[in-house]
Amino acid sequence: MSKTIIFGAIAAAIFTGNTSASDFSLDGDVALTSDYRFRGISQSNTDAALQGSINLNHVSGAHAGVWGSSIDFNDDEDATIELDYTAGYTFAVSDVAVDVGYIYYTYPNDGSNDNNDYGEVYAAAAWKGVEAGVNWTDDGYAKSGKATYVFAGYSHQFGIVTVGAQVGETFLDTATFENGDDQYFNFEVSATVTLLEKLDVEVAYVGTDLSKKDIGGLNWAEDAAVATVTLNL
């Protein structure tokens, strides 16, 4: 599915009918993390990464945004920047918050001459701290084929401290790992302290059921503590 079609549909939904500047809001953040983990696997060679986002929201529930991070795939030809474009729509069903949309992952300075960009459709629902969702792509990173990611989690706030836990399972179209598996499990438990209403300091313990051997001798999927400081704009 073309990202142009997806983002065009979101724009049409926003601008159909009467709208004004007051119907829109912007938010974003900048962050520094000790290790950029995506579904449990490091995207920064287990090193620190600088990240940031900006999002445009409409009162209708439509939203669009860009998220970026420095990355390191331990290869001189690979990209050093990831930029992800999101378009979606949020709405409520009784007291359940639902978000559906599309994410397009890009690697703009990839020097490998391969088109590693790919898109995912997603749907997620949240109710009283419980969240569950699914992401699906028909052709993942580096043309790796179809993949589905399902996850569930829970978070609860105690004053300025929020604790949370999440588990997920990735299902791949073909056997990808050295152990011959076509799926893997990931988890995260975290605690976040919010300071001065804008600054979040998070410590998380993340991991997968993959070994170093499963991903070419790299320690990208090993259990690890990750610290992240985020300034919300």
Side-chain angles (χ1 to χ4, degrees):
M1 185 178 292
S2 168
K3 69 176 185 293
T4 303
I5 295 174
I6 296 291
F7 282 85
I10 295 296
I14 291 177
F15 293 108
T16 297
N18 297 324
T19 189
S20 66
S22 61
D23 294 332
F24 295 89
S25 62
L26 280 172
D27 63 67
D29 60 60
V30 291
L32 178 64
T33 183
S34 62
D35 185 4
Y36 166 26
R37 293 283 183 124
F38 179 73
R39 297 171 188 169
I41 299 178
S42 178
Q43 309 292 291
S44 57
N45 198 26
T46 70
D47 291 329
L50 183 63
Q51 304 175 333
S53 72
I54 185 168
N55 306 287
L56 177 65
N57 309 294
H58 188 258
V59 292
S60 66
H63 60 89
V66 182
W67 180 90
S69 179
S70 58
I71 58 176
D72 182 0
F73 291 148
N74 199 32
D75 188 324
D76 291 339
E77 293 185 347
D78 283 330
T80 58
I81 298 172
E82 174 185 340
L83 290 175
D84 302 340
Y85 301 89
T86 301
Y89 182 69
T90 59
F91 58 96
V93 179
S94 185
D95 55 353
V96 177
V98 180
D99 185 17
V100 295
Y102 181 79
I103 307 171
Y104 193 67
Y105 302 86
T106 71
Y107 306 86
N109 67 339
D110 188 347
S112 66
N113 296 320
D114 296 323
N115 182 9
N116 292 320
D117 302 349
Y118 68 100
E120 285 184 340
V121 292
Y122 73 87
W127 174 77
K128 296 184 178 180
V130 178
E131 183 180 19
V134 60
N135 294 53
W136 180 84
T137 180
D138 64 348
D139 200 3
Y141 179 81
K143 300 295 180 281
S144 55
K146 296 178 182 178
T148 303
Y149 180 67
V150 294
F151 68 90
Y154 177 76
S155 63
H156 188 78
Q157 185 173 353
F158 301 91
I160 63 171
V161 179
T162 302
V163 296
Q166 186 179 95
V167 294
E169 187 82 15
T170 298
F171 301 90
L172 304 170
D173 194 37
T174 57
T176 300
F177 306 107
E178 293 292 331
N179 60 10
D181 285 347
D182 59 0
Q183 66 187 76
Y184 77 94
F185 170 83
N186 74 279
F187 70 89
E188 175 178 326
V189 292
S190 64
T192 303
V193 178
T194 300
L195 304 172
L196 304 176
E197 298 184 351
K198 293 289 187 179
L199 188 67
D200 293 334
V201 180
E202 178 190 77
V203 176
Y205 190 70
V206 301
T208 74
D209 61 356
L210 297 170
S211 68
K212 290 177 65 174
K213 181 180 178 181
D214 293 333
I215 54 174
L218 300 168
N219 62 349
W220 294 358
E222 303 242 307
D223 299 355
V226 176
T228 305
V229 178
T230 303
L231 176 62
N232 298 293
L233 305 176

